[in-house]
Amino acid sequence: MAIKKIAFVVDKLPYKGESSRLALTHCIASQTVEIHLEEDENVEPVLAFVGNGVLNCLRNQNAEAYGVSTMESHIKNALLTDIKVLICEEDVKRLGIAEENLIMDAEDFGADMTSQIVPFSEIMAEIESSVHLMYF
Amino acid sequence: MAIKKIAFVVDKLPYKGESSRLALTHCIASQTVEIHLEEDENVEPVLAFVGNGVLNCLRNQNAEAYGVSTMESHIKNALLTDIKVLICEEDVKRLGIAEENLIMDAEDFGADMTSQIVPFSEIMAEIESSVHLMYF
Amino acid sequence: MSKLTIGCFSSLVGSMTLDFAVKLAEAARKKGHDVDMWLSGNGTMLAKKGQRSFKDYSSLEKTMTDLVAGGMTVVACEACAEARGYHKEDFIDSFGRKSMDWYLASCFGADRVLHIGGE
Amino acid sequence: MSKLTIGCFSSLVGSMTLDFAVKLAEAARKKGHDVDMWLSGNGTMLAKKGQRSFKDYSSLEKTMTDLVAGGMTVVACEACAEARGYHKEDFIDSFGRKSMDWYLASCFGADRVLHIGGE
Amino acid sequence: MKLGVFVSEYGTTNDTLERLKADFLGIVLVQNGVYNAVVSENGQTSPVLGKGTKVYALSEDLLVRGFDPSKVDKRVTVVDYGGVVDLIFNNFEKLIWL
Amino acid sequence: MKLGVFVSEYGTTNDTLERLKADFLGIVLVQNGVYNAVVSENGQTSPVLGKGTKVYALSEDLLVRGFDPSKVDKRVTVVDYGGVVDLIFNNFEKLIWL
């Protein structure tokens, strides 16, 4: 059985461009990748927010004025589909973000998975153990 | 007679995006703006390169590999159409560019106009005396 | 009543810069100002007819055509559009197609110009 | 012979990033490697048929169709394209239209992945 | 000259802001520029706020990024799109988008 | 892990480069990234060159910007597109585009 891990690393800010949004939609697309693969083959995504990219993970995003989906709903969807979500601890501290302001779970979506705030070294280890790396 | 001065200020690097290219094409479009205006009305453009934007003004640009026109040819066209071209002195010094490496004239295009390397304060004065400002 | 000319340059579908320009135009119209909008470079993407609505993208076509119907002028750079494969028949009907000198002329007659550049 | 998958994301017509991706693909093919190219976000602009050639823009359609004729695979994200108003009939004929999972599957089978993101 | 500068990015090093001279200079934070109104790095507020110039931030762009417009730095005035239109016509003569 | 980092911008403050750890780290300067190979600011060469890592620059992107590929900083190796392909397959395993 061949499972290949792909690391999705987001270091871009949300909303001005669509880079971080595309990171989420491509990451979640791992749910359906099997249709293109042989039996027993699969892709295992891991999603990490680093640098200013951690600002994608703030709670209470309200996109009503613009009529688009929020990064918050995408991240919660990632948790709902059991994707490992990592948030860089050093950057959370640097930007003075309280954990209570971060999207740590998606209970309202019915997800069991929770986000993890981890040191950059742990994210680097995930990159190292991945077969491929997509840096958004 | 109403002549309105518009300042085109370029602070973006060339080639990766098309921002500085569009600055030049729009600036040169002042040659034909009269067709949209009343008799005796006209636009007088002034073109200034500031910040890293001064790197648009380097000589010997060779775009053969990419098959596009160079910023060099656009700047020479601006001089050929008698547009005032200013290059920020402080930035030329900061980036260690020798004057001999800058596009100071367009004699090969048959232009009489030459570029001027001027202090930022002089560019600021041009902005001040312009009716409108386009910052590329 | 004053006139605002908005130049939208390297902005894109999928970039909120286009949203900014459209919302600002809308707010200016509400306050009774005249508004001209110039689409150049990748900004011309806004002029493409038939953009399908998805939850990940704001849908601007309706707002724009309403604004034009209400008296706003929207013109896209013809050459920039052609280079991207947007021909006359690809354009939203009420949008104009002109050369770059139109933008300068619009600025000539404007009280304020907001030139939105950037990559 | 190895396989390279190139993902072209927020790159654009009028941006040399698209030129970079195309030239890299061409160089890899010349050296006998397999190449898959995925166009997503604004990168889907490359798939639009009928882009007119101007001296200010590099013309990539011929190079791309030649590369595809020679065995390279080019697929654009269907939803990203639809959102921009590029329907099936707007596409360069030999380019594919798939959903995002295709890119992940291509990466699964690739020896190297160059994911070109950015705004 | 009354100059309005739209800052649409966060954390980029552009010295344009430092060099601009005007009788009146106002900064309008839009898009990712609004992070300058709400985020501190290592306890330091954004240098954009420390210039002694008037700073405005767009409420819609705060909301979409998860920030409460009532909780911006006290040196910042929050405006909506209508407020930006008024600034453009009443407070500024020329505009720069960074 | 052998990591190749494509730097396509000049003068942006991204601390990613500082933090990356790899057994082998190579930097490929492309697009506006090539200015790092040729431009000094106030007499200082780019910090990108001072990391003790192997640095490459794309010749086509030097030429288009008006630089002679034979005159880059001596710490930089100039490659063409074919050379980039070889780096990707022979020198690196994973790639980052900044």
Side-chain angles (χ1 to χ4, degrees):
Chain A
M1 188 161 95
I3 306 269
K4 293 193 181 173
K5 186 156 79 175
I6 299 182
F8 293 76
V9 182
V10 179
D11 90 336
K12 300 290 187 305
L13 290 165
Y15 295 112
K16 181 163 188 176
E18 59 177 330
S19 189
S20 63
R21 185 179 295 273
L22 289 170
L24 268 291
T25 50
H26 280 75
C27 186
I28 293 168
S30 59
Q31 292 298 305
T32 50
V33 66
E34 294 161 83
I35 55 168
H36 300 284
L37 301 174
E38 302 294 315
E39 207 172 332
D40 291 340
E41 290 180 343
N42 215 336
V43 166
E44 179 199 335
V46 54
L47 176 63
F49 294 91
V50 302
N52 288 341
V54 302
L55 289 164
N56 284 278
C57 304
L58 287 176
R59 289 162 65 95
N60 299 320
Q61 298 175 29
N62 179 344
E64 213 176 306
Y66 293 109
V68 290
S69 56
T70 59
M71 292 307 299
E72 184 168 3
S73 67
H74 280 293
I75 293 169
K76 287 182 171 176
N77 271 324
L79 289 171
L80 181 63
T81 51
D82 291 329
I83 290 168
K84 193 174 191 175
V85 177
L86 307 175
I87 306 173
C88 179
E89 187 175 13
E90 289 91 333
D91 292 308
V92 168
K93 281 190 182 150
R94 172 176 60 86
L95 296 164
I97 307 169
E99 186 175 326
E100 67 196 44
N101 290 328
L102 287 169
I103 303 160
M104 295 309 295
D105 63 67
E107 275 180 21
D108 49 336
F109 281 46
D112 300 321
M113 199 78 172
T114 56
S115 316
Q116 300 168 55
I117 301 171
V118 299
F120 185 76
S121 58
E122 212 164 298
I123 291 169
M124 206 63 227
E126 287 285 351
I127 291 174
E128 179 125 23
S129 65
S130 296
V131 176
H132 295 303
L133 167 60
M134 297 186 189
Y135 203 87
F136 285 84
Chain B
M1 188 161 96
I3 305 270
K4 293 194 180 172
K5 186 156 81 174
I6 299 182
F8 293 77
V9 182
V10 179
D11 90 336
K12 301 290 187 306
L13 291 165
Y15 294 112
K16 181 162 187 173
E18 58 177 331
S19 189
S20 64
R21 184 180 295 275
L22 290 170
L24 268 292
T25 50
H26 281 74
C27 186
I28 293 167
S30 59
Q31 292 298 306
T32 49
V33 66
E34 293 161 85
I35 55 167
H36 302 283
L37 299 175
E38 301 295 315
E39 206 172 330
D40 290 340
E41 290 180 344
N42 215 336
V43 166
E44 178 198 336
V46 53
L47 175 62
F49 294 91
V50 302
N52 288 341
V54 302
L55 289 163
N56 284 279
C57 304
L58 288 176
R59 290 161 64 94
N60 299 321
Q61 297 176 30
N62 178 345
E64 212 175 306
Y66 293 108
V68 290
S69 55
T70 60
M71 292 308 299
E72 184 169 3
S73 68
H74 280 293
I75 293 169
K76 287 183 171 175
N77 271 324
L79 289 171
L80 181 63
T81 51
D82 291 329
I83 291 168
K84 193 174 191 175
V85 177
L86 306 175
I87 307 173
C88 179
E89 186 176 15
E90 288 90 334
D91 293 308
V92 166
K93 281 190 182 150
R94 173 176 61 85
L95 296 164
I97 307 170
E99 187 175 324
E100 67 196 43
N101 291 328
L102 287 168
I103 303 161
M104 295 309 295
D105 63 68
E107 277 180 20
D108 49 336
F109 281 46
D112 300 322
M113 199 77 171
T114 55
S115 316
Q116 301 168 53
I117 301 172
V118 299
F120 185 76
S121 58
E122 212 164 298
I123 292 169
M124 207 61 226
E126 287 285 351
I127 291 173
E128 181 125 22
S129 65
S130 295
V131 176
H132 294 302
L133 166 62
M134 297 186 189
Y135 203 88
F136 285 84
Chain C
M1 191 168 85
S2 304
K3 178 176 154 187
L4 172 67
T5 293
I6 304 174
C8 231
F9 278 64
S10 301
S11 312
L12 317 149
V13 176
S15 151
M16 302 288 277
T17 304
L18 226 40
D19 293 82
F20 178 89
V22 173
K23 288 208 161 293
L24 184 69
E26 201 176 14
R29 291 294 298 147
K30 268 193 196 137
K31 285 177 178 277
H33 300 294
D34 278 338
V35 177
D36 277 0
M37 192 184 283
W38 169 247
L39 306 171
S40 185
N42 283 312
T44 55
M45 293 182 83
L46 184 57
K48 178 76 178 70
K49 200 157 43 182
Q51 299 185 19
R52 226 174 104 188
S53 198
F54 289 98
K55 68 177 175 44
D56 275 340
Y57 294 100
S58 47
S59 194
L60 300 171
E61 184 166 339
K62 170 95 175 47
T63 313
M64 285 297 284
T65 50
D66 286 353
L67 285 169
V68 174
M72 185 172 95
T73 304
V74 179
V75 173
C77 172
E78 182 160 24
C80 301
E82 286 290 330
R84 286 160 178 80
Y86 307 157
H87 312 300
K88 198 168 182 345
E89 64 272 19
D90 293 307
F91 260 53
I92 295 172
D93 294 331
S94 54
F95 285 20
R97 286 157 62 85
K98 295 259 165 67
S99 38
M100 296 174 181
D101 43 26
W102 182 87
Y103 179 47
L104 303 188
S106 170
C107 293
F108 184 96
D111 298 287
R112 296 288 184 274
V113 173
L114 179 60
H115 176 93
I116 304 179
E119 298 299 327
Chain D
M1 191 169 83
S2 304
K3 177 176 154 188
L4 172 67
T5 293
I6 304 174
C8 231
F9 277 65
S10 300
S11 312
L12 318 150
V13 175
S15 152
M16 302 289 277
T17 304
L18 226 41
D19 293 81
F20 178 89
V22 174
K23 288 208 161 292
L24 184 69
E26 200 177 14
R29 291 293 299 147
K30 269 195 195 136
K31 285 178 179 277
H33 300 294
D34 279 336
V35 177
D36 277 0
M37 192 183 284
W38 170 247
L39 305 172
S40 185
N42 283 312
T44 54
M45 292 182 83
L46 184 58
K48 177 75 179 70
K49 201 159 42 180
Q51 299 186 19
R52 225 174 104 188
S53 198
F54 289 98
K55 68 177 175 42
D56 275 339
Y57 294 101
S58 46
S59 194
L60 300 171
E61 183 166 340
K62 170 93 173 51
T63 312
M64 285 298 284
T65 51
D66 286 353
L67 284 169
V68 173
M72 185 171 95
T73 304
V74 179
V75 174
C77 172
E78 182 160 24
C80 302
E82 286 289 331
R84 286 161 178 79
Y86 307 157
H87 312 300
K88 198 168 183 347
E89 63 273 19
D90 293 307
F91 260 53
I92 295 172
D93 294 331
S94 55
F95 285 19
R97 284 157 64 86
K98 296 256 166 67
S99 38
M100 296 173 180
D101 43 26
W102 182 86
Y103 178 47
L104 303 188
S106 170
C107 293
F108 183 96
D111 298 287
R112 296 288 183 274
V113 173
L114 179 59
H115 175 93
I116 304 179
E119 299 299 327
Chain E
M1 178 173 62
K2 296 186 287 180
L3 189 62
V5 183
F6 286 76
V7 174
S8 67
E9 306 273 6
Y10 176 63
T12 51
T13 50
N14 190 313
D15 66 346
T16 301
L17 259 180
E18 307 294 331
R19 299 202 287 184
L20 293 171
K21 296 268 178 295
D23 304 317
F24 176 77
L25 188 68
I27 295 173
V28 188
L29 303 173
V30 297
Q31 300 192 322
N32 285 332
V34 300
Y35 288 115
N36 291 293
V38 281
V39 172
S40 294
E41 290 202 38
N42 300 314
Q44 299 286 308
T45 58
S46 167
V48 169
L49 304 183
K51 300 191 184 306
T53 57
K54 191 83 186 129
V55 179
Y56 308 88
L58 182 60
S59 53
E60 286 87 342
D61 287 349
L62 286 161
L63 282 168
V64 73
R65 287 164 180 78
F67 296 99
D68 182 341
S70 70
K71 289 180 181 160
V72 300
D73 189 282
K74 62 183 186 306
R75 290 164 288 182
V76 177
T77 305
V78 175
V79 290
D80 61 9
Y81 275 98
V84 175
V85 171
D86 290 340
L87 286 171
I88 286 175
F89 284 107
N90 305 335
N91 300 52
F92 306 135
E93 291 160 357
K94 272 168 251 178
L95 308 164
I96 290 183
W97 177 279
L98 288 186
Chain F
M1 176 173 63
K2 296 187 287 181
L3 189 62
V5 183
F6 286 76
V7 173
S8 67
E9 305 274 6
Y10 176 64
T12 50
T13 50
N14 190 314
D15 65 346
T16 301
L17 258 180
E18 307 295 331
R19 298 201 289 184
L20 293 171
K21 297 267 177 297
D23 305 317
F24 176 79
L25 187 68
I27 294 172
V28 187
L29 302 173
V30 297
Q31 301 191 320
N32 285 331
V34 301
Y35 289 115
N36 290 293
V38 281
V39 172
S40 294
E41 290 203 36
N42 300 316
Q44 299 286 308
T45 58
S46 167
V48 169
L49 304 182
K51 300 191 184 308
T53 57
K54 191 83 187 132
V55 180
Y56 308 88
L58 183 59
S59 54
E60 286 86 342
D61 287 349
L62 287 162
L63 281 169
V64 73
R65 286 164 182 77
F67 296 99
D68 181 341
S70 70
K71 289 179 182 161
V72 299
D73 189 283
K74 61 183 187 306
R75 291 164 287 182
V76 177
T77 305
V78 175
V79 291
D80 60 10
Y81 276 98
V84 175
V85 171
D86 290 340
L87 286 171
I88 287 174
F89 283 107
N90 305 335
N91 299 54
F92 306 136
E93 290 161 357
K94 272 167 250 179
L95 309 164
I96 290 183
W97 176 278
L98 288 185

